[in-house]
Amino acid sequence: MQRDQGVAVQMKDRSRGPGSLVSQVGESLRQAILSGQYSPGDKLPSEIELTETHGVSRTVIREAVAALRSDGLVEVRQGAGIFVLGTEAYPSLSGRRVDKARVSSDLEVLEVRAPLEIEAAGLAALRRSPAQEEAIFECHRKILRCIENDESIREADLALHFAIAEATNNPLFKQHLEFHGSAVIPQSKIVNESRAAEQTAYRKMIHKEHEAIVVAISDRDEEAARNAMRDHLRGSQIRYRDLLKDFRTFPG
């Protein structure tokens, strides 16, 4: 019986789309926190409880929680659970200062992610099918639509990297990204969202970096795909190291 329920949940996840499910669950939890249903210091329901409540897989719950953690709303304590932080950390409620520990953590993820994604880009250029190529292009177009509509590109950005990993035809690449969830796409925290013009310029720069990767994969140019992905991830690392320099220059 449990196996049948698990299969049903997986089928439900696939039919509704992983990206939309993560957004729906994340938004539900976010609103519960911001509305005061959960107060700072409160422990959220367990992963199993959240899976049953929302009717989704553990992967979706983990990605949704990773997004909340990235926004500074929760922290995951190993062996203890998920705990709510103060809502003053949420960017829509205050001019949030970027947390030094969180920046360091994101940089660590980027450093681990880089060699795998560089390899994934090269393999995608060699192995992608026409359908996978179109999926990559569609993800890239979606990022541009988000920019034009002044919307966050984070979910579309993650979908693009998933599509590239999928095009390697080696499931371990995508599993690696799914393990870290949206924490592998930390770009939305680099620029304060209250500075609209700077935010838009930043998103366009990310889109341009993605374009070089997408074109190289489409051209089946393995070396160019690797180099473009390397440049993209190296740029992200440089931007995060600059943030850490700011912390050292202006501590506290």
Side-chain angles (χ1 to χ4, degrees), residues 123-199:
L123 290 176
L126 293 175
R127 300 175 179 175
R128 57 92 182 152
S129 68
Q132 289 168 335
E133 177 189 21
E134 180 54 35
I136 291 171
F137 272 116
E138 177 54 32
C139 290
H140 191 238
R141 287 192 291 265
K142 185 175 181 180
I143 292 175
L144 182 58
R145 290 196 295 269
C146 289
I147 295 172
E148 292 172 342
N149 295 328
D150 195 26
E151 299 171 351
S152 170
I153 66 172
R154 191 172 197 182
E155 187 175 326
D157 190 336
L158 183 60
L160 174 61
H161 285 273
F162 276 174
I164 293 170
E166 190 81 42
T168 67
N169 292 298
N170 179 337
L172 295 181
F173 283 102
K174 189 175 181 183
Q175 287 174 22
H176 165 74
L177 290 182
E178 289 174 339
F179 174 79
H180 291 290
S182 57
V184 303
I185 309 293
Q187 50 80 23
S188 61
K189 294 179 294 187
I190 292 292
V191 178
N192 188 324
E193 292 188 6
S194 65
R195 292 146 67 184
E198 189 174 350
Q199 182 71 279

XYZ file of all heavy atoms in Angstrom, residues 123-199:
611
model
N 29.164 17.546 -21.955
C 28.465 16.321 -22.337
C 27.134 16.628 -23.015
O 26.729 15.927 -23.948
C 28.227 15.448 -21.096
C 29.479 14.808 -20.484
C 29.107 14.058 -19.212
C 30.152 13.880 -21.480
N 26.448 17.667 -22.543
C 25.181 18.055 -23.167
C 25.401 18.448 -24.622
O 24.580 18.133 -25.494
C 24.540 19.202 -22.398
N 26.518 19.134 -24.889
C 26.824 19.526 -26.269
C 27.031 18.295 -27.154
O 26.661 18.300 -28.334
C 28.073 20.406 -26.297
N 27.598 17.246 -26.581
C 27.871 16.032 -27.353
C 26.655 15.120 -27.480
O 26.466 14.456 -28.502
C 29.009 15.245 -26.683
C 30.399 15.892 -26.681
C 31.365 15.025 -25.881
C 30.911 16.083 -28.098
N 25.803 15.100 -26.449
C 24.771 14.061 -26.362
C 23.341 14.553 -26.524
O 22.435 13.733 -26.670
C 24.881 13.362 -25.002
C 26.213 12.686 -24.751
C 26.248 12.128 -23.329
N 27.496 11.434 -23.030
C 27.801 10.941 -21.827
N 26.950 11.073 -20.829
N 28.958 10.332 -21.639
N 23.103 15.846 -26.471
C 21.718 16.330 -26.423
C 20.943 15.886 -27.663
O 21.449 15.859 -28.789
C 21.691 17.851 -26.267
C 22.447 18.652 -27.363
C 21.556 19.030 -28.498
N 22.255 19.736 -29.553
C 21.880 19.699 -30.807
N 20.861 18.947 -31.183
N 22.525 20.394 -31.728
N 19.693 15.537 -27.446
C 18.792 15.192 -28.536
C 18.125 16.462 -29.042
O 18.179 17.506 -28.371
C 17.724 14.217 -28.041
O 16.856 14.879 -27.116
N 17.477 16.436 -30.197
C 16.737 17.623 -30.655
C 15.688 18.089 -29.644
O 15.516 19.295 -29.433
C 16.093 17.145 -31.955
C 17.021 16.077 -32.457
C 17.507 15.372 -31.234
N 15.015 17.146 -29.005
C 13.999 17.518 -28.004
C 14.647 18.171 -26.793
O 14.114 19.143 -26.231
C 13.208 16.287 -27.577
N 15.788 17.657 -26.372
C 16.489 18.251 -25.235
C 17.038 19.626 -25.588
O 17.029 20.543 -24.759
C 17.618 17.317 -24.785
C 17.107 16.054 -24.111
C 18.182 15.008 -23.926
O 19.184 14.969 -24.661
N 17.989 14.128 -22.949
N 17.503 19.782 -26.826
C 17.964 21.097 -27.285
C 16.822 22.104 -27.215
O 16.999 23.229 -26.731
C 18.487 21.007 -28.716
C 18.920 22.348 -29.288
C 19.228 22.270 -30.769
O 18.749 21.323 -31.435
O 19.921 23.172 -31.285
N 15.638 21.723 -27.662
C 14.485 22.622 -27.641
C 14.086 22.958 -26.206
O 13.703 24.099 -25.907
C 13.304 21.999 -28.384
C 12.056 22.870 -28.422
C 12.304 24.270 -28.958
O 13.147 24.441 -29.865
O 11.652 25.217 -28.455
N 14.188 21.978 -25.312
C 13.860 22.225 -23.909
C 14.812 23.261 -23.309
O 14.392 24.140 -22.540
C 13.927 20.927 -23.115
N 16.076 23.173 -23.666
C 17.066 24.143 -23.181
C 16.742 25.526 -23.719
O 16.764 26.525 -22.978
C 18.490 23.707 -23.591
C 18.899 22.456 -22.807
C 19.497 24.832 -23.363
C 20.188 21.822 -23.289
N 16.435 25.615 -25.019
C 16.078 26.909 -25.611
C 14.832 27.496 -24.949
O 14.755 28.702 -24.705
C 15.852 26.774 -27.121
C 17.097 26.949 -27.944
C 17.601 25.901 -28.711
C 17.779 28.148 -27.949
C 18.751 26.057 -29.472
C 18.932 28.324 -28.705
C 19.424 27.270 -29.470
N 13.844 26.650 -24.665
C 12.604 27.134 -24.040
C 12.875 27.682 -22.643
O 12.309 28.710 -22.253
C 11.567 26.018 -23.980
C 10.274 26.408 -23.278
C 9.633 27.671 -23.843
O 9.759 27.945 -25.053
O 8.996 28.408 -23.051
N 13.728 27.021 -21.886
C 14.094 27.526 -20.562
C 14.794 28.880 -20.667
O 14.544 29.790 -19.865
C 15.006 26.527 -19.849
S 14.194 25.012 -19.331
N 15.645 28.993 -21.677
C 16.350 30.258 -21.883
C 15.368 31.365 -22.266
O 15.465 32.505 -21.780
C 17.409 30.080 -22.980
C 18.356 31.231 -23.100
N 18.512 31.946 -24.269
C 19.176 31.808 -22.202
C 19.402 32.895 -24.079
N 19.827 32.841 -22.840
N 14.396 31.046 -23.113
C 13.379 32.037 -23.486
C 12.540 32.443 -22.274
O 12.160 33.612 -22.143
C 12.484 31.471 -24.596
C 13.147 31.380 -25.963
C 12.124 31.084 -27.060
N 11.594 29.730 -26.954
C 12.083 28.689 -27.625
N 13.133 28.840 -28.432
N 11.541 27.484 -27.503
N 12.275 31.494 -21.401
C 11.470 31.793 -20.221
C 12.188 32.783 -19.305
O 11.555 33.658 -18.705
C 11.154 30.511 -19.450
C 10.207 30.749 -18.281
C 9.802 29.442 -17.613
C 8.842 29.717 -16.452
N 8.432 28.452 -15.784
N 13.498 32.658 -19.196
C 14.270 33.613 -18.390
C 14.106 35.016 -18.948
O 13.892 35.978 -18.203
C 15.757 33.215 -18.344
C 15.929 31.913 -17.548
C 16.602 34.327 -17.714
C 17.338 31.364 -17.547
N 14.175 35.137 -20.284
C 14.004 36.449 -20.898
C 12.611 36.994 -20.633
O 12.444 38.194 -20.357
C 14.259 36.360 -22.405
C 14.150 37.689 -23.178
C 15.129 38.721 -22.621
C 14.398 37.462 -24.663
N 11.587 36.148 -20.704
C 10.227 36.608 -20.418
C 10.105 37.101 -18.975
O 9.434 38.111 -18.709
C 9.220 35.482 -20.679
C 9.050 35.136 -22.153
C 7.783 34.317 -22.398
N 7.837 32.998 -21.765
C 8.299 31.917 -22.354
N 8.780 31.980 -23.606
N 8.297 30.747 -21.728
N 10.768 36.424 -18.064
C 10.754 36.872 -16.665
C 11.401 38.240 -16.521
O 10.891 39.106 -15.793
C 11.490 35.855 -15.782
S 10.626 34.294 -15.552
N 12.508 38.440 -17.220
C 13.188 39.737 -17.166
C 12.287 40.829 -17.726
O 12.153 41.910 -17.138
C 14.517 39.680 -17.949
C 15.495 38.714 -17.276
C 15.148 41.080 -18.045
C 16.755 38.455 -18.073
N 11.655 40.556 -18.868
C 10.779 41.546 -19.500
C 9.568 41.869 -18.636
O 9.062 43.003 -18.663
C 10.324 41.025 -20.866
C 11.459 40.940 -21.883
C 11.042 40.247 -23.179
O 10.001 39.543 -23.171
O 11.750 40.396 -24.184
N 9.117 40.898 -17.846
C 7.963 41.115 -16.963
C 8.379 41.552 -15.562
O 7.531 41.652 -14.662
C 7.123 39.838 -16.867
C 6.484 39.468 -18.188
O 6.145 40.333 -18.982
N 6.331 38.171 -18.434
N 9.673 41.824 -15.387
C 10.216 42.247 -14.093
C 9.887 41.238 -12.994
O 9.461 41.603 -11.892
C 9.679 43.638 -13.714
C 10.480 44.271 -12.572
O 11.666 43.912 -12.425
O 9.909 45.099 -11.820
N 10.095 39.965 -13.304
C 9.859 38.884 -12.349
C 11.184 38.220 -11.992
O 12.158 38.298 -12.744
C 8.922 37.833 -12.956
C 7.548 38.370 -13.326
C 6.729 37.356 -14.119
O 7.291 36.314 -14.527
O 5.535 37.628 -14.324
N 11.209 37.560 -10.861
C 12.395 36.816 -10.462
C 12.712 35.755 -11.515
O 11.811 35.090 -12.026
C 12.184 36.144 -9.109
O 13.248 35.248 -8.830
N 13.989 35.595 -11.818
C 14.395 34.579 -12.796
C 14.875 33.303 -12.118
O 15.305 32.368 -12.785
C 15.501 35.101 -13.730
C 16.797 35.349 -12.947
C 15.045 36.351 -14.461
C 17.987 35.675 -13.835
N 14.775 33.256 -10.807
C 15.406 32.161 -10.073
C 14.879 30.787 -10.488
O 15.646 29.866 -10.740
C 15.205 32.373 -8.578
C 16.060 31.433 -7.741
C 15.986 31.795 -6.300
N 17.078 31.172 -5.588
C 17.244 31.295 -4.284
N 16.412 32.011 -3.587
N 18.256 30.709 -3.690
N 13.574 30.626 -10.532
C 13.002 29.325 -10.879
C 13.331 28.950 -12.313
O 13.672 27.797 -12.610
C 11.484 29.347 -10.659
C 10.838 27.992 -10.832
C 9.353 28.012 -10.497
O 8.959 28.766 -9.587
O 8.592 27.274 -11.163
N 13.248 29.932 -13.236
C 13.565 29.667 -14.640
C 15.052 29.353 -14.801
O 15.435 28.510 -15.632
C 13.176 30.872 -15.495
N 15.878 30.017 -14.024
C 17.319 29.762 -14.042
C 17.597 28.321 -13.623
O 18.355 27.585 -14.286
C 17.993 30.743 -13.078
C 19.512 30.751 -13.184
O 20.086 29.740 -13.623
O 20.118 31.769 -12.813
N 16.972 27.886 -12.539
C 17.157 26.520 -12.068
C 16.683 25.514 -13.117
O 17.331 24.487 -13.362
C 16.399 26.307 -10.757
C 16.545 24.932 -10.090
C 17.993 24.637 -9.751
C 15.673 24.856 -8.841
N 15.552 25.815 -13.763
C 15.018 24.924 -14.795
C 15.997 24.775 -15.956
O 16.144 23.684 -16.528
C 13.676 25.447 -15.297
N 16.683 25.864 -16.317
C 17.669 25.798 -17.399
C 18.820 24.867 -17.027
O 19.239 24.026 -17.837
C 18.201 27.193 -17.714
C 19.352 27.252 -18.736
C 18.912 26.705 -20.083
C 19.880 28.683 -18.880
N 19.322 25.009 -15.824
C 20.431 24.151 -15.404
C 19.983 22.692 -15.299
O 20.761 21.780 -15.601
C 21.014 24.657 -14.085
C 21.851 25.884 -14.242
N 23.196 25.845 -14.547
C 21.527 27.201 -14.162
C 23.669 27.075 -14.645
N 22.672 27.923 -14.416
N 18.728 22.474 -14.884
C 18.197 21.113 -14.876
C 18.131 20.554 -16.303
O 18.451 19.382 -16.543
C 16.790 21.097 -14.278
C 16.759 21.041 -12.775
C 15.558 21.151 -12.094
C 17.915 20.883 -12.034
C 15.510 21.094 -10.713
C 17.885 20.828 -10.644
C 16.673 20.926 -9.984
N 17.698 21.387 -17.260
C 17.574 20.940 -18.650
C 18.939 20.574 -19.232
O 19.068 19.603 -19.992
C 16.908 22.023 -19.486
N 19.955 21.344 -18.886
C 21.307 21.041 -19.355
C 21.791 19.729 -18.746
O 22.361 18.873 -19.435
C 22.275 22.193 -19.018
C 21.909 23.442 -19.839
C 23.724 21.788 -19.286
C 22.649 24.697 -19.420
N 21.545 19.551 -17.450
C 21.932 18.307 -16.788
C 21.205 17.119 -17.403
O 21.788 16.045 -17.607
C 21.632 18.400 -15.289
N 19.924 17.324 -17.721
C 19.127 16.264 -18.346
C 19.712 15.869 -19.692
O 19.712 14.689 -20.077
C 17.697 16.768 -18.539
C 16.711 15.705 -18.952
C 16.207 14.869 -17.789
O 15.923 15.425 -16.723
O 16.114 13.645 -17.978
N 20.248 16.854 -20.425
C 20.766 16.601 -21.769
C 22.077 15.829 -21.767
O 22.542 15.391 -22.824
C 20.946 17.927 -22.512
N 22.688 15.630 -20.584
C 23.881 14.778 -20.522
C 23.500 13.313 -20.682
O 24.347 12.476 -20.987
C 24.605 14.927 -19.171
O 23.781 14.403 -18.116
C 24.957 16.380 -18.890
N 22.205 13.005 -20.433
C 21.707 11.631 -20.433
C 22.425 10.765 -19.398
O 22.528 9.549 -19.552
C 21.801 11.021 -21.840
C 20.832 11.704 -22.801
O 19.626 11.663 -22.601
N 21.374 12.365 -23.819
N 22.909 11.435 -18.367
C 23.459 10.773 -17.182
C 22.670 11.318 -15.990
O 22.842 12.470 -15.612
C 24.943 11.084 -17.035
C 25.572 10.442 -15.797
O 24.882 10.124 -14.825
N 26.879 10.278 -15.813
N 21.794 10.512 -15.399
C 20.891 11.012 -14.362
C 21.586 11.553 -13.127
O 20.995 12.344 -12.372
C 20.036 9.787 -14.016
C 20.855 8.606 -14.430
C 21.603 9.068 -15.645
N 22.843 11.186 -12.900
C 23.535 11.632 -11.695
C 23.779 13.142 -11.697
O 23.842 13.758 -10.628
C 24.859 10.886 -11.532
C 24.732 9.378 -11.279
C 26.113 8.747 -11.111
C 23.879 9.107 -10.049
N 23.926 13.744 -12.869
C 24.133 15.193 -12.923
C 22.903 15.930 -12.402
O 23.008 16.861 -11.601
C 24.453 15.641 -14.354
C 25.866 15.348 -14.773
C 26.146 14.264 -15.588
C 26.914 16.147 -14.352
C 27.450 13.976 -15.975
C 28.230 15.877 -14.731
C 28.490 14.787 -15.542
N 21.722 15.507 -12.847
C 20.502 16.159 -12.381
C 20.257 15.873 -10.913
O 19.799 16.742 -10.160
C 19.305 15.713 -13.214
C 18.048 16.531 -12.910
C 16.904 16.169 -13.834
C 15.677 17.025 -13.515
N 14.518 16.664 -14.354
N 20.561 14.655 -10.479
C 20.377 14.312 -9.068
C 21.239 15.200 -8.178
O 20.822 15.581 -7.080
C 20.717 12.840 -8.843
C 19.679 11.878 -9.392
C 20.110 10.432 -9.276
O 20.964 10.080 -8.452
N 19.552 9.569 -10.115
N 22.431 15.530 -8.653
C 23.311 16.423 -7.882
C 22.656 17.788 -7.694
O 22.640 18.336 -6.587
C 24.648 16.583 -8.599
C 25.466 17.739 -8.102
N 26.130 17.723 -6.898
C 25.697 18.969 -8.642
C 26.742 18.885 -6.715
N 26.494 19.652 -7.764
N 22.084 18.336 -8.762
C 21.427 19.637 -8.663
C 20.190 19.549 -7.773
O 19.922 20.451 -6.980
C 21.038 20.140 -10.049
C 22.178 20.561 -10.978
C 21.614 21.085 -12.294
C 23.060 21.619 -10.331
N 19.430 18.480 -7.914
C 18.218 18.321 -7.115
C 18.544 18.210 -5.630
O 17.768 18.662 -4.783
C 17.446 17.077 -7.571
C 16.787 17.249 -8.930
C 16.147 15.970 -9.424
O 16.525 14.876 -8.949
O 15.259 16.062 -10.286
N 19.687 17.643 -5.315
C 20.086 17.501 -3.911
C 20.223 18.868 -3.257
O 19.800 19.083 -2.118
C 21.407 16.735 -3.815
C 21.963 16.668 -2.416
C 21.448 15.767 -1.499
C 22.998 17.507 -2.025
C 21.952 15.707 -0.206
C 23.503 17.458 -0.736
C 22.982 16.548 0.175
N 20.821 19.826 -3.976
C 21.011 21.168 -3.421
C 19.779 22.046 -3.619
O 19.637 23.076 -2.960
C 22.229 21.833 -4.060
C 23.533 21.205 -3.667
N 24.050 21.307 -2.405
C 24.406 20.446 -4.368
C 25.202 20.656 -2.337
N 25.438 20.123 -3.517
N 18.894 21.646 -4.551
C 17.690 22.433 -4.786
C 18.010 23.831 -5.276
O 19.028 24.082 -5.919
N 17.148 24.799 -4.946
C 17.324 26.160 -5.444
C 18.510 26.877 -4.809
O 18.841 27.998 -5.203
C 16.053 26.979 -5.211
O 15.726 26.976 -3.837
N 19.144 26.253 -3.815
C 20.346 26.856 -3.236
C 21.468 26.959 -4.260
O 22.401 27.735 -4.076
C 20.820 26.032 -2.043
N 21.378 26.176 -5.356
C 22.425 26.262 -6.381
C 22.237 27.485 -7.264
O 23.091 27.804 -8.088
C 22.475 24.998 -7.275
C 22.689 23.763 -6.446
C 21.232 24.866 -8.136
N 21.122 28.199 -7.091
C 20.856 29.405 -7.884
C 20.723 30.580 -6.924
O 19.619 31.042 -6.630
C 19.580 29.264 -8.722
C 19.607 27.968 -9.529
C 19.406 30.450 -9.660
C 20.657 27.919 -10.614
N 21.838 31.091 -6.404
C 21.751 32.132 -5.387
C 21.722 33.544 -5.927
O 21.797 34.492 -5.176
C 23.046 31.912 -4.599
C 24.010 31.443 -5.648
C 23.191 30.625 -6.642
N 21.576 33.706 -7.259
C 21.743 35.029 -7.866
C 20.816 36.104 -7.321
O 21.161 37.258 -7.281
C 21.576 34.943 -9.383
C 20.325 34.223 -9.866
C 19.079 35.040 -9.837
O 19.132 36.256 -9.856
N 17.944 34.392 -9.777
N 19.609 35.730 -6.876
C 18.648 36.754 -6.461
C 19.080 37.481 -5.202
O 18.510 38.505 -4.853
C 17.272 36.119 -6.221
O 17.348 35.164 -5.200
N 20.091 36.965 -4.506
C 20.512 37.607 -3.275
C 21.669 38.580 -3.479
O 22.063 39.281 -2.570
C 20.943 36.546 -2.256
C 19.795 35.675 -1.805
C 20.249 34.630 -0.837
C 21.165 33.650 -1.506
N 21.497 32.507 -0.635
N 22.207 38.619 -4.688
C 23.354 39.481 -4.920
C 22.960 40.956 -4.914
O 23.660 41.808 -4.407
C 24.008 39.144 -6.283
C 24.644 37.751 -6.200
C 25.041 40.158 -6.682
C 25.841 37.677 -5.288
N 21.814 41.267 -5.492
C 21.386 42.651 -5.647
C 20.115 42.876 -4.840
O 19.174 42.100 -4.925
C 21.119 42.976 -7.134
C 20.626 44.399 -7.287
C 22.372 42.769 -7.956
N 20.084 43.927 -4.064
C 18.889 44.275 -3.302
C 17.740 44.538 -4.262
O 17.829 45.361 -5.162
C 19.162 45.535 -2.472
C 18.039 45.833 -1.510
O 16.866 45.620 -1.807
N 18.415 46.329 -0.345
N 16.618 43.815 -4.071
C 15.518 43.890 -5.022
C 14.828 45.254 -5.040
O 14.046 45.538 -5.935
C 14.507 42.780 -4.725
C 15.082 41.397 -5.025
C 14.037 40.309 -4.920
O 12.846 40.640 -4.735
O 14.399 39.133 -5.031
N 15.109 46.104 -4.053
C 14.511 47.434 -4.054
C 15.179 48.331 -5.090
O 14.648 49.383 -5.437
C 14.626 48.065 -2.659
O 15.996 48.288 -2.325
N 16.331 47.933 -5.586
C 17.034 48.714 -6.611
C 16.709 48.073 -7.961
O 17.456 47.278 -8.499
C 18.529 48.705 -6.307
C 18.866 49.495 -5.032
C 20.032 48.901 -4.272
N 21.278 49.011 -5.007
C 22.411 48.490 -4.556
N 22.432 47.833 -3.428
N 23.522 48.624 -5.254
N 15.573 48.460 -8.521
C 15.000 47.793 -9.690
C 15.930 47.825 -10.900
O 16.107 46.818 -11.585
C 13.653 48.412 -10.039
N 16.510 48.988 -11.203
C 17.346 49.115 -12.397
C 18.569 48.211 -12.296
O 18.948 47.533 -13.259
C 17.783 50.570 -12.584
N 19.172 48.174 -11.117
C 20.356 47.341 -10.933
C 19.989 45.863 -10.987
O 20.737 45.048 -11.540
C 21.008 47.678 -9.585
C 22.370 47.024 -9.399
C 23.058 47.481 -8.130
O 22.569 48.434 -7.501
O 24.083 46.869 -7.775
N 18.832 45.537 -10.438
C 18.373 44.156 -10.479
C 18.153 43.696 -11.921
O 18.549 42.600 -12.308
C 17.068 44.017 -9.687
C 16.515 42.607 -9.608
C 17.345 41.703 -8.721
O 18.367 41.185 -9.140
N 16.898 41.516 -7.495
